[in-house]
Amino acid sequence: MMNEPISSIMTKKVVTVRPQDTLEVVKDILFFKHVHHIPVVEGHTLVGIITSFDLVRLGRCQDEYKQVKVSEVMTTKVATLGPNDKIGAAAEVFLENLFHGLPIVNEDRDLVGIITTHDVLKYEFHKEYPNHKIYWEPV
């Protein structure tokens, strides 16, 4: 049931930041875009990820965010999957590691999408209740 490729449900228009951006930029994205995982890219290449939890864990006052670069806080050892990997593989990574978001990269490590636990939940719900009125369409 979860044998479809991740590319069928992943978000393709991913909000990203650069290593030289500040945490103020990250905070604004998290607040205004309502996302919790922001891939960090140089060009199109994934170099890290920063999450809402990273800001909480940092324990700094928001006034300090202008002086802190993303590169100082981001996670650089990022679990990823490819667009042709199966949705079940993403679910397995989420369950085994308690992650909630995974960047999707191609063979050159260029970012092509992101998948979250919410995406998998919507996918499964839609399979079970295809006529339910919840609007869902992969981006």
Side-chain angles (χ1 to χ4, degrees), residues 2-52:
M2 297 182 95
N3 289 326
E4 293 181 44
I6 288 171
S7 61
S8 67
I9 68 167
M10 72 183 186
T11 299
K12 295 176 181 139
K13 294 180 182 176
V14 184
V15 177
T16 63
V17 293
R18 299 167 300 154
Q20 64 269 27
D21 288 333
T22 66
L23 292 187
E24 183 174 48
V25 171
V26 171
K27 176 192 63 83
D28 288 345
I29 290 170
L30 293 172
F31 184 78
F32 293 111
K33 298 284 186 179
H34 305 287
V35 297
H36 299 281
H37 314 87
I38 307 173
V40 182
V41 295
E42 286 186 11
H44 298 288
T45 304
L46 180 72
V47 296
I49 194 165
I50 189 161
T51 68
S52 54

